[in-house]
Amino acid sequence: MIYNYTVEELEEYFLKIGEKKFRVTQVFEWLYKKRVSSFSQMTNLKKDLIVKLEKQFEFGNLKLVDKMISADGTIKFLFKLKDGNVIETVFMNYQWGNSLCVTTQIGCNIGCSFCASGLEDKVRDLTSGEIVLQIIEVEKLLETRISNVVIMGIGEPFDNYDHTIKAIDLLNSPKGLEIGARHITISTSGLVPKIYDFADEKLQVNLAISLHASNDKIRNHLMKINNKYSLSELIKAVEYYVEKTNRRISFEYILLKGVNDSENNAHELSNLIRGINAYVNLIPYNEVDEFEYKSSSKPDTLKFYDVLKKRGINVTIRQEKGRDIYAACGQLRSKNMG
């Protein structure tokens, strides 16, 4: 698929077939600025080059299967890929711009016990082009510009590391979607080796860690990845990332009633991350029919917040979005598959 190729990769291909590098700029302009749907629409290319491109590359697209619109303006899209698999993409509108949460895998093998994404095992990774096409298709459907991209939909982005990094290149490139690096956030459940790799990339994108627990006992229960990479190993990797990039990190913490939301948990969390250039994003839980977990009450959420605040931790409570449209990652997909 043509959308799988970075500028550098396409330049290499063009040189190999005897074409000038400036042709790549023309192709990228048709793909990402003019948003054509076929090579034949690239009217400033030679006919023989168009024939070569049509033979070499597919012109990818996503097919809209379902769409749900929340009372708060959040929109969840279900797209079908060429192979028949379906993925979710979520549009959220904030005062500061339009944000899109994109998927990186079909299904997920991380298996967090509260997450609807893990209801279906991983089928395959998405290609970089399939990740990028989610932004292009939503912009086309809504006739609006996406200003922020969050890579934390279905799947674990660092379990699809190479394609995700290439997608970030295409999102950020001035010849691609031209979304500023600091307007891109990637989330990981804690694949420790990949956090070190990502630190060495020295990208200016934001990194979020799905933490969700204040100690190993709770995290082992909630997130099986913690059995492989403990909290102490994860925190070491985070400290390496912060030191290497000089960038602040965010810790995502879903509050689950009676599981990880006590004042003692808040104190433990403070001790765990004290001294790290980070902030904590407290997230109200979107309840999933298949799981027993419940969202923390508002008073317990505020108590947790107050403990962190008093102990000098930068903390926010995430604004709830899309609760009325199967807001949790994977819910719409699993409803359609069921």
Side-chain angles (χ1 to χ4, degrees), residues 68-76 93 319-326:
M68 299 192 73
I69 304 175
S70 168
D72 63 25
T74 300
I75 305 174
K76 176 167 275 195
N93 177 256
Q319 179 183 349
E320 288 189 78
K321 286 280 189 179
R323 180 175 282 272
D324 55 332
I325 57 164
Y326 304 133

Side-chain angles (χ1 to χ4, degrees), residues 162-295:
D162 291 342
H163 287 140
T164 299
I165 294 299
K166 192 193 286 191
I168 290 172
D169 181 301
L170 291 162
L171 294 178
N172 183 230
S173 171
K175 293 180 181 177
L177 286 174
E178 212 171 355
I179 296 172
R182 298 191 180 194
H183 293 269
I184 301 169
T185 299
I186 185 168
S187 175
T188 179
S189 59
L191 268 68
V192 166
K194 295 302 181 184
I195 294 173
Y196 286 103
D197 290 344
F198 190 67
D200 292 338
E201 303 274 359
K202 296 184 180 177
L203 299 174
Q204 292 296 300
V205 304
N206 305 305
L207 179 62
I209 304 292
S210 295
L211 193 62
H212 309 317
S214 58
N215 60 55
D216 279 320
K217 183 178 179 181
I218 295 174
R219 202 163 193 265
N220 286 344
H221 173 67
L222 295 177
M223 305 175 72
K224 66 182 183 183
I225 193 171
N226 201 70
N227 292 291
K228 187 168 185 179
Y229 304 114
S230 67
L231 276 174
S232 62
E233 292 175 276
L234 177 58
I235 294 301
K236 281 181 186 175
V238 166
E239 289 172 338
Y240 176 85
Y241 171 85
V242 172
E243 182 181 353
K244 189 84 173 180
T245 64
N246 199 31
R247 290 189 57 72
R248 186 172 72 164
I249 203 164
S250 70
F251 289 108
E252 308 290 301
Y253 197 101
I254 290 175
L255 287 164
L256 302 169
K257 184 177 179 64
V259 177
N260 65 354
D261 65 342
S262 70
E263 290 184 59
N264 183 57
N265 293 143
H267 283 287
E268 285 182 332
L269 179 59
S270 302
N271 293 335
L272 183 69
I273 66 173
R274 184 182 292 276
I276 298 174
N277 182 17
Y279 71 94
V280 175
N281 194 7
L282 298 177
I283 304 171
Y285 180 57
N286 285 309
E287 294 175 9
V288 179
D289 292 343
E290 291 84 354
F291 303 136
E292 61 188 20
Y293 298 108
K294 301 296 179 185
S295 182

Side-chain angles (χ1 to χ4, degrees), residues 88 101-105 115 117 150-157 329-330:
E88 289 179 3
C101 182
V102 300
T103 284
T104 57
Q105 295 179 314
C115 180
S117 291
V150 183
I151 308 173
M152 58 170 68
I154 296 174
E156 162 58 63
C329 292

